[in-house]
Each structure stands twice: as C-alpha cells, then as structure tokens.
C-alpha cells in the first residue's frame, strides 16, 4: 500500500466534507460531547492528560501521530458506566503497522442510554387520560451515538511523527430523529529522551452534522403537549486545539510519568478555569507510577473549572493496571459529574493485547 496515498486520501476526504460557509450554519456546543470523555482506562485514570503520552492503539482517538510508535498489531476494548450506570460506553480499537514508519488504526465507539420508556401511544389525547391497559402500549427505545474512526500515523524523523483521523458520526434517538456527522483530527508528536510533546487539532475541518426528524413518530407530542414539532437541520462542531507535554523520571523500582494537557476551545463557553474572550482553556493533569513496568498506579484531574459562588471545582480520577505478557488490563474510577453532584461516579475497564512483532 502506498503510504503517501493513504495519508493524502485521509486529508482530501475530510476537506471535501468540510462545510464551505461556517457562518451560515448553527454552531452546536455539545454536538459530539459523547466523545469528550475519552477512551482507555489508563488515559482516563490520568485525567485525560494523554495527548503527548498516547503511543498505543488508543492514539487513534487521542493523537493519531502516536500510532507511529507501534511495532506490532494491537487490539483494545473498553467498557464504561457513567452517571451510576445510566449511560453505557463501549470502545473497540485495532491498529496495524504496514511499514517501518506507518501505522493504520480503526476505532468503533458507542455511547447510549437504553430501555427508555415511550409512553406516547399510551395516552388518550381526546380524553386527556391514559388509554385502557396503558402498560401494554408502552414501548422502549435507545438514544445512542456511534463513531467510526480511521486513523493513520507516520514517523517523519527519529523525534517527530504526524497523523490524521477521519471520523464518521451517527446519532439516533429511537425512531424519532437521527444525524450523520463528518470531520477530521490532525496531530503531531515530538519525543526527545524522557520528554514528550503533542498537539491535536480536533475536528480540524469543523464537524458537520445533518439531522433528520421523523415527524410521523412525533405526531402524538403535538396532540398531548401542543408543542411545535422539531425540525431537522445542520449543526457545526467547532475545532478544539489540544496541547500536551509529559516527562518520565526513572526510579530505582520503576518510573514516574507526569503529564499536563490543555484544551483550547473557541465556542465562547466560559465555564473552564481560564477564559480569554471567546476562547476557553480546559487544563488536565495526570501522573502514573509503575513498578518495573508491570504494575501501575495512576491519578489525575480531568476537569479544573470555576463555579460561580463555589470557587474552584476539581474533578479527580484514579486507577490501576497491570501487564501480563502481551496483555494489559486497566481500571479507572472517576467522579464524572463533579464532587458536588448527585449524578454518580464512572467506572472504566479496558484491555489491550499485542499480537507480536511484525516480520
């Protein structure tokens, strides 16, 4: 396979999908929020400070440039429960080197709320009361988001690597509404000795999401509530610049990795700890202590923000992991909604397996 062709194809594909007139579209602050949580229990236990650290199959999500460090095929899977189990999140990834300097990766993600009760058919609008035997008329549906990521990483020198990820998003709310979205991430990574630097421009082409609504499935909403039915439309998710740095210190029994990331969003959303004009900065901090690269302890802060009337709000995360042969198992625990919330905690479990060096 021609390496230059693959890299060029990814860029051109996303460029063709990019909207021509951003000003004419509606900007959605949470258009792809289901991806904001991240993937991999190791990364999440470190507070999501992983832009410069990513050097495995998970790099397809965090920073595709990090894929270039792989010398063998890797596969991974993660399951997470959020908001006390209300939201389920599943991720599967696979990465395969196809030259000494180039790696291709594919990732699949699903995030959803299942078994939501649909009581529309159980209500008699004319009588303004439930129909006879309403329980037999209640059905269930799911609200789910899906993402397909196709990633490519290439080493351009001993210290530098670059990469890109094409993303296809599908979102559905039962039979009521659905949307398709398209965009691309681009990334770069630098490593010198025990220092690592990384940068990812997430949704570099601006994500375009096109919603369609099944008005026939929603007709009872008008009958019951008298509301206007929602209409389909196009939304844009603006780019986010993610920068990161990390340092690894050798210790007598293993080592200590410390990482710091900062996300720069340009959506005029001033909830983060640092805001300048229309730009908000979301810092992340993480650390990992290992014993001879076999047992790992991790911790971090995945959200540092100011709350009006409350002051500084830190959202911590912790975790652990171990390596056994070609397999790695990781666990992460986090307060997904903040210390003062009643929405519950988040558990993440992920496994990764390496298939041996290429011949």
């Amino acid at each position: 396979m021609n390496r230059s062709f693959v890299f060029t194809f990814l860029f051109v594909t996303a460029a063709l999908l990019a909207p021509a007139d951003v000003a004419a579209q509606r900007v959605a602050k949470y258009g792809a929020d289901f991806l904001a949580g991240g993937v991999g229990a190791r990364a999440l236990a470190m507070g999501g400070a992983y832009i410069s650290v990513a050097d495995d199959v998970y790099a397809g999500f965090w920073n595709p440039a990090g894929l270039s460090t792989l010398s063998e095929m890797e596969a991974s899977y993660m399951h997470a429960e959020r908001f006390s189990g209300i939201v389920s999140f599943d991720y599967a990834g696979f990465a395969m080197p196809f030259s000494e300097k180039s790696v291709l990766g594919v990732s699949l993600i699903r995030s959803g709320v299942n078994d939501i009760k649909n009581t529309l058919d159980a209500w008699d609008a004319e009588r303004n009361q439930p129909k006879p035997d309403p329980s037999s008329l209640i059905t269930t549906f799911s609200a789910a988001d899906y993402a397909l990521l196709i990633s490519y990483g290439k080493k351009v020198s001993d210290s530098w690597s670059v990469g890109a990820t094409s993303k296809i998003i599908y979102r559905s709310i039962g039979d009521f509404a659905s949307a398709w979205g398209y965009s691309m991430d681009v990334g770069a990574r630098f490593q010198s000795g025990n220092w690592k630097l990384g940068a990812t421009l997430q949704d570099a082409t601006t994500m375009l999401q096109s919603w369609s609504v099944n008005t026939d499935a929603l007709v009872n909403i008008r009958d019951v509530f008298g509301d206007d039915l929602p209409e389909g439309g196009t939304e844009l998710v603006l780019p986010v610049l993610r920068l990161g740095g990390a340092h690894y210190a050798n210790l007598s029994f293993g080592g200590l990795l410390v990482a710091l990331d900062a996300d720069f969003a340009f959506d005029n959303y001033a909830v983060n700890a640092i805001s300048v004009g229309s730009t908000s900065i979301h810092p992340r901090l993480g650390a990992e202590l290992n014993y001879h690269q076999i047992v790992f302890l991790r911790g971090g802060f995945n959200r540092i923000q100011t709350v009006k009337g409350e002051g500084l709000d830190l959202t911590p995360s912790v975790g652990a992991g171990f390596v056994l042969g070609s397999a790695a198992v990781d666990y992460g625990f986090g307060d997904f909604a903040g210390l003062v919330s009643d929405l519950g905690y988040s558990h993440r479990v992920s496994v990764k397996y390496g298939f041996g060096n290429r011949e």
Side-chain angles (χ1 to χ4, degrees), residues 144-156:
D145 299 314
Y146 302 85
L148 169 64
L149 282 61
I150 302 175
S151 306
Y152 174 78
K154 180 178 181 179
K155 186 177 294 185
V156 295

Side-chain angles (χ1 to χ4, degrees), residues 270-348:
V271 70
N272 292 322
I274 306 171
S275 299
V276 180
S278 62
T279 303
S280 62
I281 303 174
H282 179 178
R284 306 173 191 268
L285 178 65
E288 176 185 74
L289 182 68
N290 78 79
Y291 177 75
H292 296 301
Q293 296 291 335
I294 298 175
V295 179
F296 300 82
L297 296 177
R298 307 178 180 112
F301 295 99
N302 60 15
R303 186 171 60 189
I304 304 173
Q305 66 180 22
T306 54
V307 179
K308 188 175 182 179
E310 298 290 339
L312 189 64
D313 179 29
L314 303 177
T315 303
S317 58
V318 296
F322 65 90
V323 173
L324 183 61
S326 298
V329 180
D330 298 304
Y331 169 77
F333 174 80
D335 185 358
F336 185 79
L339 292 174
V340 297
S341 175
D342 295 326
L343 293 178
Y345 300 99
S346 176
H347 300 272
R348 303 106 169 192

Side-chain angles (χ1 to χ4, degrees), residues 49-60:
Y50 210 65
I51 295 300
S52 63
V53 177
D55 59 0
D56 53 12
V57 62
Y58 298 108

Side-chain angles (χ1 to χ4, degrees), residues 54-71:
D55 59 0
D56 53 12
V57 62
Y58 298 108
F61 176 90
W62 295 98
N63 183 352
L67 286 173
S68 65
T69 64
L70 289 177
S71 60

